[in-house]
Amino acid sequence: MSETKTSVWQSLMDYAYEKRADNKHEFMASLQGVERAAVLLGNLNYQVENGGIQQFVDNGYGCYVQQLLGVLADIGTPSCLELAKRVREFTKCWMKKGSTDRGFLGDYWNIRNDNEEQWESMLVMADEFDEFFYESSFHDRFMADVEAFLTGLVK
């Protein structure tokens, strides 16, 4: 896994975060275009690298999944399309259209608190997602694909 982003991606994120509002949702709403894409992709990458896909959801980034899936589709490389497929599979079990449940995905917290069997199943899915994401042959391609895409947008 990469400890730092390559130049364009990290520069875009740094620039965007200089303008960060106190509220994460206001900050995300203020971003447009290439900055928004860089932050969406960076949030996924940093959260999953640090604590797995479950941390991405636990820290409230789940409400941006549809936008993230759109960016991954725009990139369109095999690594990004495979990642989009896995993100979609992982989140579909509790994602509800239009859910605004504290910025998280649909019934996530209810399942976590009320349905131990379903929760255990989700943890297995999370482990499988993380193993895929951490695999260097995937992760290196993903990082290069994102960098190339963002570089193309700023030129």
Side-chain angles (χ1 to χ4, degrees):
M1 290 180 295
S2 173
E3 290 299 317
T4 59
K5 302 278 173 287
T6 47
S7 63
V8 171
W9 188 359
Q10 187 62 55
S11 295
L12 286 166
M13 289 186 65
D14 291 345
Y15 181 74
Y17 274 96
E18 286 176 7
K19 303 181 280 186
R20 177 156 181 164
D22 290 337
N23 180 295
K24 173 178 22 187
H25 302 297
E26 289 174 12
F27 168 65
M28 291 301 295
S30 75
L31 297 176
Q32 296 180 4
V34 67
E35 285 180 5
R36 186 174 190 77
V39 170
L40 287 166
L41 293 161
N43 287 342
L44 175 72
N45 188 60
Y46 282 141
Q47 294 293 312
V48 175
E49 279 187 352
N50 189 44
I53 189 68
Q54 186 178 349
Q55 178 174 308
F56 175 79
V57 176
D58 283 345
N59 286 346
Y61 295 98
C63 62
Y64 302 107
V65 165
Q66 292 304 317
Q67 295 166 41
L68 173 67
L69 291 173
V71 173
L72 292 170
D74 288 346
I75 297 172
T77 62
S79 70
C80 289
L81 295 176
E82 179 64 23
L83 181 58
K85 175 184 163 198
R86 290 176 182 257
V87 167
R88 196 175 299 106
E89 288 171 357
F90 179 72
T91 59
K92 73 180 177 183
C93 55
W94 65 78
M95 186 166 53
K96 291 183 177 178
K97 187 174 183 172
S99 176
T100 58
D101 184 15
R102 292 189 296 167
F104 296 89
L105 299 175
D107 288 335
Y108 177 80
W109 292 107
N110 294 332
I111 292 168
R112 186 174 187 170
N113 294 324
D114 299 337
N115 190 329
E116 187 173 336
E117 185 176 317
Q118 190 173 3
W119 180 249
E120 292 301 321
S121 174
M122 287 181 194
L123 293 179
V124 169
M125 290 173 62
D127 287 344
E128 291 170 354
F129 181 97
D130 295 344
E131 286 176 20
F132 162 78
F133 193 85
Y134 299 150
E135 183 181 305
S136 64
S137 62
F138 162 76
H139 196 260
D140 292 347
R141 281 191 323 271
F142 167 69
M143 298 293 285
D145 290 345
V146 169
E147 180 67 17
F149 174 77
L150 294 173
T151 298
L153 291 178
V154 297
K155 289 191 174 189

